[in-house]
Amino acid sequence: LAPGMLAALGRLGLQMSIQDGAAQTNPWPTTLGDINVTVNGTLAPIFRTLSAYGAIYFQVPYETPTSGTASYIVTQNSTGAVLAVGQFQMAQANPGFFTASANGLGPVAATDGSGNPITAANPVARGSTVTFYLTGLGNVPGVPADGYAPTAAANAPSAPFLVIAGVQATVSYSGPGAFAGGWQINATVPMAAAPNALNPVALTYLGIRSNIGGFTNPDGSPGPDVIPISTTLYVK
């Protein structure tokens, strides 16, 4: 995990009993579904809780260290009962594309220059601008406080090495965007991308590679982590 990124957690082998909840405020609350998550003693913003899976979706606080491990503790707010404790490895960044399907597979969540979602019916043209939505940028100058959506652009000091269809793409913006914990990348689709096809998309940032389709379902069943399918982009 990386400071500021969005993450999901549950309890292995024994589902936590939690309430459904969805954040309705800016910043996101640190208590949701009668649950608190602390990371090295700091309360984390929570944006969703799902009783069906015993899953908690939250933002890692920006002050969390960028190396070693951090302590994550889940407590029930009303009683103070400790529901789960874990130690997780930390890193400076952990780039992960959001996908249109929201399951970590297939076409990425992306929009064209007019802000319209890129889909099979609305592919992006070669040579035009595409905006990708990710998380895992880490703590860089200009990020908002924990749980807050960014209000202004702020280029990260290091640029990602973005590849579309095996060709390096020109990146015009890489920094906070869209929502709390969000990372936005604006880039030009290479002319070498295959037309009328799905093209693979990947990046390396600070020496760390992005996701290429890795996920385990919240209920613990096998997910796409066993399927070697890259994130992709519809191009025309």
Side-chain angles (χ1 to χ4, degrees), residues 27-53:
W28 290 334
T30 54
T31 299
L32 189 68
D34 198 29
I35 292 295
N36 298 122
V37 177
T38 59
V39 182
N40 277 13
T42 299
L43 285 167
I46 304 172
F47 60 95
R48 193 177 186 191
T49 54
L50 288 177
S51 61
Y53 299 128

Side-chain angles (χ1 to χ4, degrees), residues 4 29-31 35 38 65 78 83-84 112 116 137 157 166 192 195 200 204 209 212:
T30 54
T31 299
I35 292 295
T38 59
S78 60
L83 304 181
D112 60 22
N116 299 312
L137 175 62
T204 301
R209 291 180 295 179
I212 55 170

Side-chain angles (χ1 to χ4, degrees), residues 19-206:
Q19 302 172 14
D20 288 320
Q24 304 292 330
T25 60
N26 185 27
W28 290 334
T30 54
T31 299
L32 189 68
D34 198 29
I35 292 295
N36 298 122
V37 177
T38 59
V39 182
N40 277 13
T42 299
L43 285 167
I46 304 172
F47 60 95
R48 193 177 186 191
T49 54
L50 288 177
S51 61
Y53 299 128
I56 303 164
Y57 300 82
F58 68 105
Q59 182 187 19
V60 179
Y62 278 111
E63 65 183 66
T64 309
T66 57
S67 62
T69 60
S71 175
Y72 292 69
I73 302 175
V74 179
T75 57
Q76 186 175 44
N77 183 69
S78 60
T79 65
V82 175
L83 304 181
V85 177
Q87 295 284 329
F88 298 101
Q89 185 68 39
M90 297 300 303
Q92 189 174 356
N94 184 16
F97 286 93
F98 288 102
T99 60
S101 62
N103 68 1
L105 267 184
V108 294
T111 54
D112 60 22
S114 299
N116 299 312
I118 295 173
T119 63
N122 182 45
V124 64
R126 293 175 294 168
S128 64
T129 299
V130 60
T131 297
F132 297 106
Y133 300 94
L134 308 88
T135 192
L137 175 62
N139 194 351
V140 300
V143 295
D146 294 344
Y148 280 93
T151 57
N155 270 292
S158 297
F161 184 83
L162 176 68
V163 174
I164 301 175
V167 179
Q168 183 178 2
T170 300
V171 174
S172 56
Y173 175 76
S174 172
F179 40 80
W183 178 4
Q184 178 177 320
I185 294 177
N186 299 344
T188 302
V189 180
M191 293 302 296
N196 304 312
L198 279 168
N199 286 255
V201 179
L203 68 81
T204 301
Y205 179 68
L206 302 179

